[in-house]
Each structure stands twice: as C-alpha cells, then as structure tokens.
Amino acid sequence: MFSHSALRTARSFSVSAAVSNRCIFYTQNGDPTKVLRSMTFPKLNPPSPNTLNLKFLLASINPADLNTIEGVYPAKPGPTSNLASNGLGSCEEPVFVGGNEGLAQVTQVGKGVEGIKEGDWVVMDNSQLGTWSTSRNVSFNDVIKLPASGLTEVHGATMTVNPTTAYNMLHDFVDLKEGDWMIQNGANSAVGQLVIQLARERGINNINFVRSRDDMAPLVEHLESLGATKILTYDDLNDKSLRGKVKEWTGGKDIRLALNCVGGEPTTSMTKLLGQDAHLVSYGAMSKKPLSLPTSLHIFKNLTSHGFWQTNWTKSHSRGEKENLISKLAEMMKEGKASIKAPEHTIVTIGATESDQEATEKIRGVFADISLGKFGKKVLLKLEETSL
Amino acid sequence: MFSHSALRTARSFSVSAAVSNRCIFYTQNGDPTKVLRSMTFPKLNPPSPNTLNLKFLLASINPADLNTIEGVYPAKPGPTSNLASNGLGSCEEPVFVGGNEGLAQVTQVGKGVEGIKEGDWVVMDNSQLGTWSTSRNVSFNDVIKLPASGLTEVHGATMTVNPTTAYNMLHDFVDLKEGDWMIQNGANSAVGQLVIQLARERGINNINFVRSRDDMAPLVEHLESLGATKILTYDDLNDKSLRGKVKEWTGGKDIRLALNCVGGEPTTSMTKLLGQDAHLVSYGAMSKKPLSLPTSLHIFKNLTSHGFWQTNWTKSHSRGEKENLISKLAEMMKEGKASIKAPEHTIVTIGATESDQEATEKIRGVFADISLGKFGKKVLLKLEETSL
C-alpha cells in the first residue's frame, strides 16, 4: 500500500533549503493508519491566471474523510497536479492530498481574479480539494470568501460540511414557518446540534431524539441551551403514549419534516409521528441498518423519503447560491451574535520542527484514535509550515 | 352487524309499486360477506339545482373496496343522504352505498348545470360516491363527462382508478422522454399492464418484474403484446449478472423511475438497478412487507421514495386537470386506436327480478370468491333496475 517513490520524493525535499510546506497525503486507498503520510514540498510558484495561492489556517478531519481514504466513499479526490507543478512531477504514482474542509488565507492572487485579495479568508467551494496542506494553489472558483471579520478560525474551518448540511436540510424540503414543528434523531451529532440552533434562529419547534444514557441531565441541559424544544430518547419511541404527548405539544399541528442520521427501527418509529405530506430526509445511517418504512406511510400519508448529501448540493447549485449560503451562515456565527456556536473540538497541531516521519506517525495516531472513538468531538488539523 | 332498521326499510320499499332502484349498501364496517346488503328504493326525485340524476351502467369492484367496507382503508364514504331524501329518511342508522368507480349515464339535469346533458356518459370525479346503485343523485362537480362515442362500457367503468394511477405515476415524478427507460414490479397487475401500454404509447422502454411460474410463455407473450420491452422474474434479481445485462439493454442510460406495488426484498433489489437522481414510486405492498432501502441509495444516489394514491391526486388537482386526464385516457381507449385495452374482466349481473335476499346472497358470494382469489381478473357489477 505504501508508495516508496512518493516517500522518496518527500524525503528528498525535506533536506532542501527551499522546503517550507507540508501536506498529509496518500497514494493508494486503504486504512488511514497505514496509508497516510506527511510530505514536505517547496514554496508554491506564483499563481497562474484565475488561480490563487492559499495558506491553510485550520482544516477539519471529518468522519467521511476516513471513508474517502479507504476508497469506499463516493466522492473521490483527483490526483493532485499542482503540487507536482511545484516540483513533484517526478512522482510515479498519483498523490492524493487528504482533507475536504478547511479555512485558508489567500497569500497570492493570479491575474483575472476578481473580488478576492491577499489576506482574505476563504472556504472551499468544491469537495476533496485537499485541505490537509500548509498551502495549495486553487482555481478562484474553488473558494468562497468569508466576511472580513468576526469569525474564529474554528468557525471558518468547520463551515462547509455540517452547517451547510443542517441549513439546507431545514430549508430545501419543507417550507417551515415560525411556530411549525420538525423532528430529528441523532440530535447530539454535529449536524444535529446545528439543526437545533438553526431551528431556534427561525422559531421552529424541534423534537430531538438521542440515545438514552445513565445521566441524561448534562446532555439535556446542553441541547436545551442550543435551543432544543423537546428531547426524547429512542426508548421513548416504545412508549405508546408518545403519540398523544407529541400531539399535545404541537397542538395537533402536523409535523412535516424529519431528519435522520440513524436508520433502523427507531427511524421507522419516529417517522410514524409525522403528519400528512411530510418529508423524511436522511443524511446518515449510524445504526448501519437500512431505512425500513411501511408502504402505507408513502401511499396514504404521502410521505416522501429523500437523502441529503452536501457534496451533491454543492455540485447542483450556482456560485451565487453557495456564496449566499456561506454569507448567511457566517453572519450567524459572528461574535456578538453567535446564533451558531463553534463545535466542541480538539486541535491536533503538526509543528514546524516535526520531521515527516514524526508527522506521519502523529496523523496515523489521530486516525487510530478516531477509529477507537476516542475524541467524541470535532478534530481539527493545524499544519505549521516546516522550518527544517 | 346487520342493520334491521335498514333492512326493514328496504323490504317495505320492495313491495311498493314505485320501487325501481337497487343499491348494495352496508350500515356498519365489517366483513363484506356479512355486512353487504341489497336494498331497493324508489325512483329519484327530479334533481335539485347544480345536481344530476345518474343511472349506473357498470361499476367496478376493486380490491380497495373490500378494505373500505372492512373500515381499514383511509378513504371512507360519507353516509348517503340522497337516498334518504328519496324516502329513506326513516333509517335510524347511516347507510353507506358501496362502490368507488363506475360508469353512469345522465338521466336528468338540474338547473344551473352546464356542459352536461341527458344521455351523456360520466365517470366519478370524487372517491367513494357509491357506484353500486342503479341510480344516484350527485353534484355536477362530482362527475366528469366522457367523449360522446367510441368507448365501451367496460372501458368507462374502469377508467378512474387504475388507468389514472398508471398515467400519473408515469408522468408526475420523472420527465421521461422517448427512448428513456423505466422499471416496475407487479407488472402483471391491472396497473402494471396499464403502465406497459402507456409507456409503449410514449416510446418509453420498460423493464417488468413478475413472479416466476412454471410456464412463463403465455404471460410473457401477453405482456409483450401490450408493449413490454423486457420481462424478468423476481428470481432474476438474485442473478449477479443482471446489472450488467440491464446496462447493456439501456446502453448505460440511467433508469430514473421505478414503480412498486410489491415491497420487501425484491423491491430493495430492484431499486439498486436505478441510476442517479431516480424516483421510486410505491402504490401497493402486495408482499405485505415494508419497503427497506439502504440509506446510501438516498444519500449518494439521491434516490427519492414516494407514494402514489389516486385519491390524493384527485383531491389535490383542479377540475381542469382531471378533465384533461380523463380526456387523454378516453382518447387512448377509443375503438380504432385502443392504445389501452379494456382489462380482462367478469361481469356479475344482479337481474331485475332478483329479490333483495337473492341479491344480498349473490354480492356476498362475489366477495367470498374475491377473498379466495377465484377471479384473477377485474370484477364488474351490473345492477339492473328492479321490476318486482
């Protein structure tokens, strides 16, 4: 699985005086704890027309990145050519730089680029651009500019996957008005917590399902602080009086939107709480069980069951729509307003003086810990430019 | 379960000289072989403004009628008031006249009715109007006029449930063009056969799944004569080479519409043959098993799963849209063109000289035979005016 030629290339750069960049890459799909590598590479050339040079400030490590590296995720990065154009052309194997989400600062602007200048903060407008790198050269169409101030690095680095997913699922399927009700499971997930905050922002009542645990109080308190209207556990779905309770809460108003990242039996039960003409939107399957629905819900209650994948949304929407979305989210994240809190997170830093071998071990260790479920919060990667 | 008061009323009419009508009714939900009754009643009064008097020529007995009588179907008839207004006002219990679909001829037109005249053929534009009756008084908004000529009684009596369902499912979810492909299971059902004919009419290639049987040849020949492009059995879904075969047939074109009346595992497998952005439309669950789909189909292939119920369609569409649909279907059913064949059928006649007791026994016998699956084709009911 490991690419000797790529590593050789990497090592040869690590002794060059011009080296100052680092990326986390792989050349073959496989277990991230085996195929991920650190590589140092020279400073970027000045950007060609309509491109930008970026310096990444902070990048996310999302669960889907693991599947992407394993090669089992439908979104696949293309092999990186703009590292090669900076001196890595001798690699015999394609190099895939990891990372789908991240916050970058513009360091140099190519001819023909409009509306973006040196120093601006940008997020990715395209998937799998390879954000686990100190620097990248990208097309100016691949990024969206953030507002000039008021955002933290953590907000910026975690904006284009979970908040966009939460926002679009809450908007694109049902025209919810203030005072309407929606329902979701996996409410404690990163997306689930964002859904609660975005629902609160719009005055939408939300019913939230989570796994039961010995001490529910801290979780309930946390979700309520975000704006959860009601919090229930999957066990509550077995309670025959639940339907009556829900009807009382909603005053008999039909619930027309359900968001699902769990699947299996609890999702079937949750869906039965929906009213006429409702939409079930699935964005995950944490139970690894399929979505099983009585056909009568489709036929007689006119339930529609959709999937949502932000990668598809990004592909199928215009640049204007995407800029508009990012701008709305950024507004809600700004200090002072902070309708959307930054996610709980851990920052893993790979320092300027760490060798590629040390960096490789560190990033593999991070993925080993992720596999073991050791974090339980968002993992962010801070790559420092090397000074070796 | 049996209503003595209603039967007394019926008997009292059966000895009246004015009696000439008959209906099949029930007063309580339950097993049709126990709750259905025949009742004779007097000639209708002249129609009040904006209403019509109808004489039914032929009515359908559909599978859903059984569930309606049992009280387990979501569409429920209201108690009949316009029999009561013709002398049945003394009934202590509400009377429900059976039948949802049928062909009638206009016998008298009330003031204010426009565009419909005596002698016109009409079909029902509303569900559960009670078509198992020799005559009815209805609002003129409850019927849609058929073209003046070219249709058989069988075509007219079977137009508003199955052909409308087939037509709308083929039109409302995916914008199919000539040469595109769709897929369905239960292809030998009444709706399935209509889907094949309507697909052929539009030049849409269709892949049809049926249960395997010892001698497939007659069924294959029949479905091919209707316009089936490909015919497969549910067993073929276990064949790993099927996906490759289908790809060869379609030339790699994505299949974007699947119609389902089966549910369970074969539907899951069929759905996996669909391409990106496809729509699965369910209108039945003959296997009585739920629809179980891998969430990944929703998320990564952007599959949307819908239900279709003609009753909902009728409620949610304008009169113009409904007239347009009926007119299109009638055009395709006309002699000379006959793009849509009349369904295979049996006509059960209740004759003019049969007593209510004989008629009651006959209709209960029909439902006993339906429960035993004895017909295997559409059952139509012809009620003759009584001459007792």
Side-chain angles (χ1 to χ4, degrees):
Chain A
M1 297 301 257
F2 167 58
S3 154
H4 290 283
S5 66
L7 191 66
R8 264 203 313 278
T9 312
R11 280 182 180 157
S12 72
F13 281 118
S14 71
V15 294
S16 150
V19 165
S20 72
N21 285 307
R22 187 197 303 273
C23 69
I24 304 298
F25 75 105
Y26 53 104
T27 60
Q28 300 277 343
N29 287 123
D31 178 350
T33 66
K34 292 183 180 138
V35 302
L36 284 182
R37 298 267 147 188
S38 164
M39 165 163 74
T40 47
F41 61 96
K43 277 194 174 157
L44 299 183
N45 291 333
S48 54
N50 300 314
T51 73
L52 304 164
N53 283 354
L54 303 180
K55 173 189 173 177
F56 278 93
L57 304 175
L58 197 60
S60 288
I61 299 179
N62 286 308
D65 293 329
L66 195 149
N67 306 120
T68 304
I69 297 163
E70 288 172 336
V72 297
Y73 199 65
K76 297 184 193 309
T80 290
S81 63
N82 56 10
L83 291 183
S85 72
N86 286 285
L88 290 176
S90 61
C91 282
E92 283 164 27
E93 293 183 84
V95 170
F96 303 101
V97 177
N100 178 49
E101 188 181 32
L103 169 70
Q105 187 159 33
V106 176
T107 52
Q108 262 190 297
V109 175
K111 275 185 189 165
V113 172
E114 282 175 21
I116 298 185
K117 61 181 191 306
E118 214 182 293
D120 282 346
W121 277 15
V122 296
V123 292
M124 306 303 106
D125 183 33
N126 210 332
S127 60
Q128 308 299 340
L129 286 178
T131 58
W132 301 342
S133 184
T134 49
S135 70
R136 296 300 304 260
N137 171 260
V138 298
S139 159
F140 104 91
N141 281 317
D142 281 342
V143 299
I144 290 179
K145 194 170 104 169
L146 292 184
S149 66
L151 285 180
T152 63
E153 284 191 6
V154 174
H155 265 135
T158 58
M159 188 180 280
T160 58
V161 174
N162 293 336
T164 51
T165 298
Y167 186 96
N168 290 326
M169 290 196 303
L170 213 46
H171 281 74
D172 288 3
F173 298 92
V174 179
D175 183 20
L176 293 170
K177 310 269 187 248
E178 199 177 327
D180 283 349
W181 288 77
M182 57 80 57
I183 198 164
Q184 70 168 338
N185 59 27
N188 193 33
S189 69
V191 170
Q193 294 189 37
L194 286 155
V195 165
I196 293 171
Q197 296 174 75
L198 290 166
R200 175 179 59 184
E201 178 74 8
R202 291 177 52 196
I204 296 163
N205 297 301
N206 49 87
I207 300 173
N208 300 279
F209 284 93
V210 295
R211 275 197 312 273
S212 68
R213 53 204 78 198
D214 288 341
D215 185 7
M216 286 290 293
L219 177 58
V220 167
E221 194 181 334
H222 173 61
L223 296 183
E224 283 181 346
S225 79
L226 298 178
T229 315
K230 299 285 176 187
I231 299 156
L232 296 164
T233 71
Y234 302 127
D235 297 342
D236 291 326
L237 286 164
N238 302 320
D239 176 0
K240 283 187 180 160
S241 71
L242 178 63
R243 202 179 281 241
K245 256 185 231 165
V246 169
K247 208 170 174 181
E248 210 171 283
W249 294 340
T250 61
K253 207 181 233 188
D254 274 352
I255 304 174
R256 294 205 301 123
L257 178 66
L259 305 182
N260 161 44
C261 63
V262 174
E265 182 51 35
T267 307
T268 310
S269 302
M270 180 180 78
T271 306
K272 290 179 182 167
L273 297 173
L274 292 170
Q276 197 68 26
D277 301 327
H279 296 257
L280 171 67
V281 182
S282 297
Y283 64 101
M286 293 198 298
S287 72
K288 305 207 170 157
K289 302 231 172 82
L291 191 56
S292 182
L293 300 172
T295 313
S296 57
L297 287 182
H298 283 302
I299 300 177
F300 300 126
K301 293 186 88 177
N302 196 28
L303 171 75
T304 309
S305 176
H306 312 257
F308 184 84
W309 190 28
Q310 183 58 31
T311 299
N312 256 347
W313 190 96
T314 299
K315 276 184 199 153
S316 61
H317 284 72
S318 72
R319 190 167 171 83
E321 288 167 320
K322 291 183 272 189
E323 285 173 343
N324 187 36
L325 172 58
I326 292 299
S327 140
K328 275 185 189 159
L329 290 171
E331 196 52 46
M332 289 190 271
M333 289 171 175
K334 273 190 177 171
E335 294 169 83
K337 178 136 173 74
S339 312
I340 303 178
K341 289 185 185 169
E344 290 185 77
H345 60 272
T346 308
I347 296 179
V348 174
T349 302
I350 296 182
T353 59
E354 297 187 49
S355 72
D356 276 327
Q357 196 177 332
E358 287 167 328
T360 295
E361 277 164 25
K362 187 179 269 187
I363 192 71
R364 290 180 179 188
V366 168
F367 273 88
D369 287 348
I370 288 176
S371 299
L372 295 171
K374 277 202 185 162
F375 288 105
K377 50 178 89 169
K378 179 73 77 181
V379 184
L380 300 172
L381 181 63
K382 193 166 194 79
L383 288 181
E384 291 181 355
E385 288 175 5
T386 62
S387 59
L388 294 173
Chain B
M1 296 298 257
F2 166 57
S3 153
H4 289 284
S5 64
L7 192 65
R8 264 203 311 279
T9 313
R11 280 183 182 159
S12 71
F13 283 118
S14 71
V15 294
S16 150
V19 165
S20 71
N21 285 306
R22 187 195 305 272
C23 70
I24 304 297
F25 76 104
Y26 54 103
T27 58
Q28 300 278 343
N29 287 124
D31 178 348
T33 67
K34 292 185 181 139
V35 302
L36 284 182
R37 298 267 147 187
S38 163
M39 166 163 73
T40 47
F41 61 96
K43 276 192 175 158
L44 299 183
N45 293 332
S48 54
N50 299 315
T51 73
L52 304 164
N53 283 354
L54 303 179
K55 174 188 173 175
F56 278 93
L57 304 175
L58 198 59
S60 289
I61 299 179
N62 286 307
D65 293 328
L66 196 150
N67 306 121
T68 305
I69 296 163
E70 288 172 336
V72 297
Y73 200 64
K76 297 187 193 305
T80 289
S81 62
N82 55 10
L83 291 182
S85 72
N86 286 284
L88 290 175
S90 61
C91 281
E92 283 163 27
E93 293 183 83
V95 170
F96 302 102
V97 177
N100 177 49
E101 187 181 33
L103 169 69
Q105 187 161 31
V106 176
T107 52
Q108 263 189 295
V109 175
K111 275 185 189 165
V113 172
E114 282 176 20
I116 298 185
K117 62 181 190 307
E118 213 181 295
D120 282 347
W121 279 15
V122 296
V123 292
M124 305 303 105
D125 183 33
N126 209 331
S127 61
Q128 307 300 340
L129 286 178
T131 58
W132 300 344
S133 183
T134 50
S135 71
R136 296 302 303 260
N137 172 260
V138 299
S139 159
F140 103 92
N141 281 317
D142 282 342
V143 299
I144 290 178
K145 194 169 103 170
L146 292 184
S149 68
L151 285 180
T152 63
E153 284 191 4
V154 173
H155 265 135
T158 58
M159 187 180 280
T160 57
V161 174
N162 292 336
T164 50
T165 297
Y167 186 96
N168 290 326
M169 292 196 302
L170 213 46
H171 282 74
D172 289 4
F173 298 93
V174 179
D175 184 20
L176 294 170
K177 309 271 187 246
E178 200 176 327
D180 283 348
W181 289 76
M182 58 80 56
I183 198 165
Q184 69 167 340
N185 59 26
N188 193 32
S189 70
V191 170
Q193 294 190 37
L194 285 156
V195 165
I196 293 171
Q197 296 173 75
L198 291 166
R200 174 179 61 183
E201 178 73 10
R202 290 176 52 195
I204 296 163
N205 297 300
N206 49 88
I207 300 174
N208 300 279
F209 285 94
V210 296
R211 275 197 312 273
S212 68
R213 52 203 79 200
D214 289 341
D215 184 7
M216 287 290 293
L219 177 57
V220 167
E221 195 181 332
H222 173 62
L223 296 182
E224 284 181 346
S225 79
L226 298 178
T229 316
K230 298 286 176 188
I231 298 156
L232 297 164
T233 70
Y234 302 127
D235 297 343
D236 291 326
L237 287 164
N238 302 320
D239 175 1
K240 283 187 181 159
S241 72
L242 178 62
R243 204 179 281 240
K245 256 185 232 167
V246 168
K247 207 170 175 180
E248 212 170 280
W249 294 340
T250 62
K253 205 181 237 188
D254 274 352
I255 303 174
R256 293 206 301 123
L257 178 66
L259 305 182
N260 160 45
C261 63
V262 174
E265 182 51 34
T267 307
T268 310
S269 303
M270 180 180 79
T271 306
K272 290 179 183 167
L273 297 172
L274 292 170
Q276 198 68 26
D277 302 327
H279 296 257
L280 171 66
V281 182
S282 297
Y283 64 100
M286 293 199 298
S287 72
K288 305 207 169 156
K289 300 229 173 83
L291 192 56
S292 181
L293 300 172
T295 313
S296 57
L297 287 183
H298 282 302
I299 300 177
F300 301 126
K301 294 187 88 177
N302 196 28
L303 172 75
T304 308
S305 176
H306 311 259
F308 184 83
W309 190 28
Q310 183 58 30
T311 299
N312 257 347
W313 189 96
T314 299
K315 276 185 201 153
S316 60
H317 285 72
S318 72
R319 189 166 173 84
E321 288 168 318
K322 289 183 273 189
E323 285 173 343
N324 187 35
L325 172 57
I326 292 299
S327 141
K328 276 186 189 157
L329 289 172
E331 196 53 47
M332 288 190 271
M333 289 172 176
K334 272 189 178 174
E335 294 169 82
K337 180 137 171 72
S339 312
I340 304 179
K341 288 185 186 170
E344 288 185 79
H345 60 273
T346 307
I347 296 180
V348 174
T349 302
I350 296 183
T353 60
E354 294 187 51
S355 70
D356 277 327
Q357 196 176 334
E358 287 167 329
T360 295
E361 277 165 24
K362 188 179 267 185
I363 192 73
R364 290 181 179 187
V366 168
F367 273 88
D369 287 349
I370 289 175
S371 299
L372 295 170
K374 277 201 184 162
F375 289 104
K377 50 180 88 169
K378 178 72 79 182
V379 184
L380 301 172
L381 181 63
K382 194 169 192 77
L383 288 182
E384 292 181 354
E385 289 175 3
T386 63
S387 61
L388 294 172

